């Protein structure tokens, strides 16, 4: 394929649709990470929880033949993993980073261990017949020429992901409990004096982030592909955390950051058909993440410097004003 | 003697022994559920590595890699940098060492030395980007280093497939490094050791890396605890602001901690190509990326504890390989055990909580005569909140 066709394909409806589809498994963990971060317990186990969710969803769907039961089971498994981290961090004072890495280790080892027992294969679950979630043709929109092709016909998870951004926004900023969570994240001592149970709030925040991460994982194994694969999340949990930083911890910002990363991923998929070595093309999403984090960090730094300068200037003005008054 | 049992060191030791015991017990419970012959499987897991001479060799070789990885993490975690880019540094170090050993046309000794040097430099340089971003702009080093890991693995795969792989090779790997350019065995060629040397060389291939690793442990210990740099590094690790006000160049310390750790990571990579595989092969570092954390944490982040922790986990890994070959339980069981141990070892409050419970029970049974809850211990745990 020539460069021209690739460029043309990037401006096609198919490509835009693929950006939406590929962003989904980043939006989910990013939203989960967001809720955990604003409550002051950055969930470093998102990656592992995604793997667990992906695995449990596939296996339960294969054994019960019921997609919705499978999704429920995946969510429960994700919540349990998140609560394991919460138990150790909040009640036994395990360092959050190390606890998160431990849960990730347990997830990647545990899923392969169980996969081997259940299917006799260590790489993927293709040998068992698992189900995938249905796609949704939006009744009216699907007939609109351009828009219909882009936004209609995705797996239901995709719509759930975009809906969840709105839900998370309402939850964090318009509900009593969400406000409590943010208070816990900003100043736990003050929250305690207001009668908020900090430990319980953090456990609940982690549990919610577990739900989102599990959904993100199942989106990979039950919508994007139709089987479970070893280390299926492939860094998306971490990219989700990067999206939380990049989106300045605001739901809408995090959504845009996730879509940016989804875009990079989709570009790398498109370029894969060119005559460029596939391994190098595959690094694009990860390099994008590093660059984005760097740009964001530099901006933050400059903003902080400017704030400081402004403050100093105001301070000096105030001093000189006082001095002139005194005269 | 009593004071020793009440000392902090003993409590630490007790916690580690307890954690490993619980982890192994949990592993056995899991085996009970999944295996047709759980006792046999677990026996091969726990006794496998010492059942034959060649397996002892495998255990030692595995442990050498793990000890180096543990040292890497000791350095960066000592500075409280959550930098886990060691897999990327290691894999590119392995590539550099392999390329020198395969292609640079100079005599054996300088070639091997050059290979080590190249691996260490490449390892250090690969850490530069996350290090600069963290030091100057406070960008989250955990995420950037993980992303850089994936990038490094892809670059490794690309170089291997595009430039090194020969069309006739059946697996994705380079040609074997020729005999004179490999590392010699660790038993010196002395007359009275001749017998042992021959038996050992027939069965295993443990190389002079043993001495290099021992030297690395001592050097890293010396560096962290006996030099100004180590003092600065640990001060930054304890409290960045305090270090800054104390006149320590925090930025430089952060960057140097990651670069120095990269030197060791590169060494681990060189060990993979020059001693273990004797060639550059795809998926060289799989499953090793996070091992350093397990080991450093188990060793209490002390370089002198790292060899013990490395030998223990090397033993468990070697045992899990034996178990996988001789039973129906797969080797990934060891990751679950390790994760459990990691959680239990770092759970500061777990032991105090249990002690308090025990004291409470005692108090109840003795009607409050003797066993007040151990308030002091609980307080101590509280002060460690990160």
């Amino acid at each position: 394929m020539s460069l021209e066709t690739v460029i043309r394909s990037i401006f096609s409806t198919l490509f835009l649709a693929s950006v939406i589809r590929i962003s989904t498994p980043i939006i989910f963990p990013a939203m989960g990470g967001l809720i955990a971060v604003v409550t002051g317990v950055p969930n470093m186990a998102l990656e592992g929880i995604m793997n667990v969710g992906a695995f449990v969803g596939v296996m339960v769907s294969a054994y019960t033949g019921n997609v919705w039961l499978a999704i429920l089971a995946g969510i429960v498994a994700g919540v349990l993993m998140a609560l394991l981290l919460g138990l150790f961090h909040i009640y036994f004072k395990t360092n959050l980073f190390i606890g998160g890495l431990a849960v990730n280790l347990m997830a990647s080892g545990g899923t392969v261990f169980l996969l081997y027992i259940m299917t006799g294969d260590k790489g993927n679950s293709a040998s068992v017949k698992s189900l995938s979630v249905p796609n949704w043709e939006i009744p009216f929109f699907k007939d609109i020429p351009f828009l219909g092709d882009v936004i209609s016909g995705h797996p239901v998870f995709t719509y759930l992901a975009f809906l969840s951004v709105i839900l998370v926004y309402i939850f964090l900023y318009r509900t009593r409990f969400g406000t409590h969570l943010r208070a816990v994240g900003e100043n736990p001592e003050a929250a305690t004096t207001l009668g908020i149970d900090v430990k319980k709030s953090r456990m609940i925040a982690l549990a919610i982030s577990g739900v989102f991460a599990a959904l993100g994982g199942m989106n990979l194994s039950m919508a994007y592909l139709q089987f479970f694969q070893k280390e299926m999340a492939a860094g998306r949990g971490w990219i989700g955390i990067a999206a939380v930083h990049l989106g300045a911890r605001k739901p809408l910002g995090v959504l845009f950051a996730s879509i940016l990363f989804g875009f990079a991923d989709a570009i790398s998929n498109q370029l894969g058909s060119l005559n460029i070595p596939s391994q190098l093309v595959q690094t694009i999403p990860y390099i994008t993440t590093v660059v984005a984090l760097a740009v964001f960090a530099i901006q933050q730094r400059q903003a902080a410097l400017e704030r400081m300068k402004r403050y100093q200037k105001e301070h000096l003005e105030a001093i000189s004003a006082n001095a002139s008054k005194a005269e | 003697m009593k004071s020793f049992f009440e000392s902090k060191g003993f409590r630490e030791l007790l916690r580690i022994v307890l954690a490993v015991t619980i982890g192994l017990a949990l592993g056995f419970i899991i085996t009970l559920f999944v295996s047709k012959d759980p006792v046999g499987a677990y026996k091969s897991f726990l006794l496998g590595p010492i059942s034959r001479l060649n397996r002892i060799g495998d255990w030692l070789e595995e442990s050498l890699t793990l000890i180096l990885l543990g040292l890497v993490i000791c350095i960066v975690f000592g500075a409280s940098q959550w930098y886990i880019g060691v897999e990327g540094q290691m894999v590119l170090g392995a590539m550099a060492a392999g390329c020198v050993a395969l292609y640079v046309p100079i005599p054996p000794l300088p070639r091997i030395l050059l290979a080590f040097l190249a691996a260490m430099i490449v390892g250090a340089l690969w850490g530069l980007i996350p290090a600069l971003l963290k030091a100057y702009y406070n960008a989250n080093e955990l995420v950037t280093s993980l992303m850089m890991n994936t990038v490094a693995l892809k670059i490794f795969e690309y170089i291997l497939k595009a430039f090194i792989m020969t069309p006739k090779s059946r697996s994705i790997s380079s040609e074997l490094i020729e005999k004179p350019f490999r590392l010699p065995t660790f038993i010196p060629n002395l007359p009275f050791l001749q017998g042992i040397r021959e038996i050992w060389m027939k069965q295993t291939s443990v190389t002079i890396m043993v001495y290099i690793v021992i030297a690395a442990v001592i050097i890293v210990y010396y560096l962290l605890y006996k030099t100004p740099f180590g003092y600065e590094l640990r001060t930054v690790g304890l409290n960045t602001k305090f270090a800054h006000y104390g006149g320590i160049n925090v930025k430089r310390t952060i960057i140097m901690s990651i670069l120095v750790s990269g030197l060791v990571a590169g060494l681990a990579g060189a060990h993979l190509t020059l001693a273990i595989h004797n060639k550059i092969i795809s998926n060289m570092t799989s499953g090793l990326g996070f091992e350093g954390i397990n080991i450093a944490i188990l060793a209490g982040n002390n370089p002198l504890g790292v060899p013990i922790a490395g030998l223990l986990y090397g033993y468990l890994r070697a045992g899990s390989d034996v178990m996988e070959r001789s039973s129906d339980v797969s080797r990934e069981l060891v990751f679950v055990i390790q994760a459990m141990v990691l959680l239990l070892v770092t759970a500061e409050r777990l032991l105090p909580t249990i002690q308090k419970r025990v004291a409470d029970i005692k108090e109840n049974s003795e009607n409050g005569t003797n066993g007040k809850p151990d308030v002091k211990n609980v307080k101590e745990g509280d002060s460690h909140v990160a």
Side-chain angles (χ1 to χ4, degrees):
Chain A
M1 210 191 280
S2 73
L3 186 63
E4 199 194 319
T5 42
V6 168
I7 290 173
R8 198 172 291 151
S9 71
I10 284 174
F11 291 99
S12 70
T13 53
L14 229 64
F15 179 74
L16 290 178
S18 83
V19 170
I20 289 177
R21 207 172 56 242
I22 293 171
S23 302
T24 309
I26 300 170
I27 295 172
F28 275 126
M31 286 299 137
L34 174 67
I35 288 179
V37 162
V38 296
T39 318
V41 276
N43 184 353
M44 294 293 160
L46 290 173
E47 174 87 3
I49 297 173
M50 283 182 83
N51 282 325
V52 168
F55 174 74
V56 172
V58 160
M59 282 305 157
V60 173
S61 83
Y63 279 86
T64 64
N66 186 331
V67 173
W68 308 110
L69 197 67
I71 294 176
L72 190 70
I75 290 174
V76 170
V79 168
L80 287 179
M81 292 303 275
L83 289 182
L84 178 71
L85 174 65
L87 175 72
F88 271 90
H89 170 61
I90 294 164
Y91 292 97
F92 300 147
K93 300 290 169 209
T94 291
N95 178 298
L96 197 53
F97 285 101
I98 296 169
L101 294 174
V103 172
N104 286 333
L105 187 68
M106 189 178 282
S108 65
T111 48
V112 176
F113 184 75
L114 291 175
L115 182 70
Y116 180 69
I117 290 168
M118 295 169 109
T119 68
D121 191 308
K122 278 190 174 188
N124 61 56
S125 73
S127 60
V128 295
K129 202 172 154 21
S130 61
L131 306 171
S132 52
V133 296
N135 290 357
W136 189 41
E137 302 282 347
I138 310 173
F140 170 71
F141 283 96
K142 73 174 196 292
D143 300 323
I144 303 173
F146 181 78
L147 203 62
D149 290 339
V150 175
I151 66 169
S152 180
H154 292 292
V156 284
F157 275 140
T158 300
Y159 302 105
L160 193 60
F162 282 86
L163 183 68
S164 74
V165 177
I166 303 167
L167 291 179
V168 166
Y169 177 81
I170 294 172
F171 172 67
L172 284 179
Y173 292 91
R174 294 284 181 269
T175 67
R176 202 180 151 78
F177 187 58
T179 315
H180 283 180
L181 289 191
R182 286 192 294 133
V184 168
E186 254 161 48
N187 194 334
E189 286 83 12
T192 310
T193 57
L194 286 175
I196 302 172
D197 187 338
V198 172
K199 288 183 175 175
K200 205 174 123 194
S201 307
R202 288 188 164 163
M203 283 298 263
I204 293 172
L206 280 176
I208 298 173
S209 75
V211 172
F212 280 116
L215 283 171
M218 284 187 281
N219 178 72
L220 289 172
S221 66
M222 298 170 72
Y224 194 71
L225 296 174
Q226 274 79 43
F227 54 85
F228 173 80
Q229 211 171 35
K230 178 186 176 184
E231 306 276 351
M232 188 154 209
R236 288 186 181 84
W238 299 108
I239 294 178
I241 291 171
V244 174
H245 283 273
L246 196 64
R249 302 178 175 194
K250 298 277 187 320
L252 213 60
V254 174
L255 172 69
F256 283 125
S258 306
I259 293 177
L260 173 75
F261 293 140
F263 184 76
D265 216 340
I267 288 264
S268 111
N269 280 356
Q270 282 293 324
L271 293 180
S273 54
L274 270 180
N275 205 6
I276 308 171
S278 64
Q279 294 92 355
L280 297 187
V281 169
Q282 284 161 9
T283 63
I284 291 176
Y286 304 98
I287 292 176
T288 309
T289 309
V290 175
V291 171
L293 273 178
V295 170
F296 174 71
I298 291 169
Q299 257 181 3
Q300 288 269 304
R301 183 89 174 177
Q302 273 168 352
L305 281 176
E306 262 165 39
R307 267 204 306 279
M308 201 171 80
K309 270 186 198 148
R310 202 167 54 219
Y311 175 78
Q312 278 173 343
K313 208 173 137 199
E314 278 167 14
H315 192 65
L316 286 174
E317 275 167 8
I319 288 172
S320 60
N322 278 343
S324 63
K325 243 186 231 167
E327 277 170 20
Chain B
M1 207 55 199
K2 202 186 170 196
S3 63
F4 170 73
F5 285 119
E6 283 171 359
S7 71
K8 200 163 174 247
F10 177 71
R11 278 234 312 276
E12 289 285 312
L13 192 70
L14 186 67
R15 197 159 76 184
I16 289 168
V17 172
L18 213 71
V20 174
T21 314
I22 294 174
L24 288 175
L26 183 85
F28 184 63
I29 293 169
I30 296 173
T31 315
L32 278 180
F33 278 104
V34 303
S35 176
K36 288 194 185 97
D37 175 23
V39 177
Y42 225 58
K43 210 173 144 193
S44 64
F45 173 48
L46 290 180
L47 299 177
I50 45 170
S51 60
R52 275 186 227 150
L53 190 60
N54 67 335
R55 286 181 183 163
I56 294 179
D58 290 347
W59 165 34
L60 286 180
E61 274 188 314
E62 187 93 50
S63 302
L64 293 179
T65 321
L66 297 184
I67 291 168
L68 290 174
L69 296 178
L71 291 178
V72 173
I73 298 297
C74 273
I75 299 168
V76 281
F77 279 19
S80 281
Q81 299 305 306
W82 303 108
Y83 175 83
I84 39 184
V86 40
E87 186 163 10
Q89 293 172 311
M90 180 171 47
V91 78
L92 292 181
M95 171 62 75
C99 287
V100 172
L102 282 168
Y103 304 119
V104 177
I106 49 175
L109 186 65
R111 200 195 283 203
I112 289 175
L113 289 177
L114 186 68
F116 273 110
L117 194 69
M120 290 168 79
I121 290 173
V122 167
L125 288 181
W126 188 252
L128 201 59
I129 295 173
L132 290 175
L133 288 177
K134 172 64 198 268
Y136 284 93
Y137 302 110
N138 203 21
N140 187 329
E141 75 277 18
L142 189 77
V143 177
T144 51
S145 59
L146 273 166
M147 296 291 115
M148 295 299 280
N149 275 350
T150 313
V151 174
L153 288 170
K154 299 279 181 202
I155 290 176
F156 174 85
E157 215 178 301
Y158 167 66
I159 296 176
L160 181 57
K161 278 186 183 157
F163 302 111
I164 295 176
M165 214 176 111
T166 45
K168 60 181 177 193
S169 56
R170 264 182 280 160
S171 59
I172 306 171
S173 68
S174 71
E175 285 164 19
L176 274 174
I177 296 169
E178 283 165 52
K179 268 266 163 71
F181 304 111
R182 296 181 198 170
L183 295 180
T185 184
F186 78 105
I187 301 172
N189 194 3
L190 295 171
F192 58 95
L193 289 173
Q194 206 66 51
I196 300 177
R197 194 183 143 118
E198 257 167 40
I199 298 171
W200 186 266
M201 274 179 74
K202 249 185 228 155
Q203 299 265 349
T204 78
S205 55
V206 180
T207 62
I208 51 160
M209 272 309 280
V210 176
Y211 305 113
I212 298 176
V213 169
I214 293 172
V217 169
I218 294 166
I219 291 171
V220 169
Y221 173 77
Y222 188 81
L223 190 73
L224 285 184
Y225 289 93
K226 307 284 177 198
T227 63
F229 168 69
Y231 173 75
E232 289 180 359
L233 187 144
R234 286 180 297 124
T235 312
V236 169
L238 284 174
N239 189 333
T240 316
K241 280 199 181 120
F242 175 75
H244 180 69
Y245 293 131
I248 291 171
N249 188 338
V250 175
K251 282 176 189 151
R252 202 194 63 189
T253 310
I254 289 175
I255 294 171
M256 285 305 288
S257 73
I258 294 178
L259 292 192
V260 171
S261 81
L263 293 177
V264 184
L267 196 60
H271 178 231
L272 287 182
T273 24
L274 300 182
I276 292 187
H277 295 289
N278 291 320
K279 59 183 171 183
I280 307 170
I281 182 168
S282 148
N283 282 331
M284 249 177 158
T285 57
S286 70
L288 285 170
F290 295 106
E291 284 292 346
I293 297 166
N294 289 325
I295 285 150
I297 297 294
L298 200 62
N301 233 20
N302 184 338
L304 295 183
V306 164
I308 302 166
L311 283 170
L312 175 69
Y313 273 158
Y315 190 87
L316 292 186
R317 282 175 71 100
S320 71
D321 277 339
V322 178
M323 175 174 71
E324 179 164 281
R325 267 178 273 141
S326 61
S327 79
D328 53 352
V329 183
S330 68
R331 64 190 303 276
E332 277 75 14
L333 180 67
V334 79
F335 294 126
V336 179
I337 294 175
Q338 284 179 329
M340 211 53 222
V341 174
L342 192 56
L343 281 175
L344 289 170
V345 169
T346 50
E348 309 241 353
R349 280 284 285 279
L350 196 57
L351 205 55
T353 312
I354 293 170
Q355 279 175 345
K356 187 169 174 290
R357 281 276 155 78
V358 172
D360 282 350
I361 292 164
K362 225 191 231 168
E363 190 178 25
N364 287 343
S365 64
E366 291 172 14
N367 287 328
T369 47
N370 194 17
K372 270 198 165 182
D374 199 350
V375 181
K376 211 178 117 205
N377 280 351
V378 178
K379 278 265 167 63
E380 225 170 273
D382 266 335
S383 66
H384 286 292
V385 179

